[in-house]
Amino acid sequence: MTDLKSWKQTHIKEDADYKATVAKQLDAVNATIQAKADKDEKWRAEIQETLTQIRIAVGARPAARP
């Protein structure tokens, strides 16, 4: 009976350790995904700003006369 209790306690601890490891890995993956999303958002904002500046520059030119 003692062996069974010991076995159960060991496996409960191993399960908890495994779950903690998986949770840490999941947190790391989520952080990586968020960092990528933030980088992509910054890139999109820079592209939009560049396009806006181009539109302003093109719109500010005098119209070509035929």
Side-chain angles (χ1 to χ4, degrees):
M1 187 61 115
T2 305
D3 288 341
L4 183 58
K5 287 181 182 179
S6 174
W7 178 86
K8 182 179 177 183
Q9 289 174 345
T10 299
H11 282 78
I12 288 172
K13 183 183 179 320
E14 287 174 356
D15 185 54
D17 291 345
Y18 175 74
K19 287 178 182 177
T21 300
V22 170
K24 285 180 187 178
Q25 291 172 344
L26 184 58
D27 289 344
V29 168
N30 286 337
T32 300
I33 291 169
Q34 186 61 51
K36 171 88 168 84
D38 292 345
K39 181 181 173 187
D40 289 350
E41 182 60 32
K42 181 181 176 197
W43 180 78
R44 282 191 288 276
E46 290 171 355
I47 293 294
Q48 285 299 325
E49 179 63 26
T50 300
L51 290 173
T52 299
Q53 294 302 322
I54 291 169
R55 288 182 188 116
I56 290 169
V58 170
R61 286 190 200 159
R65 302 208 181 234

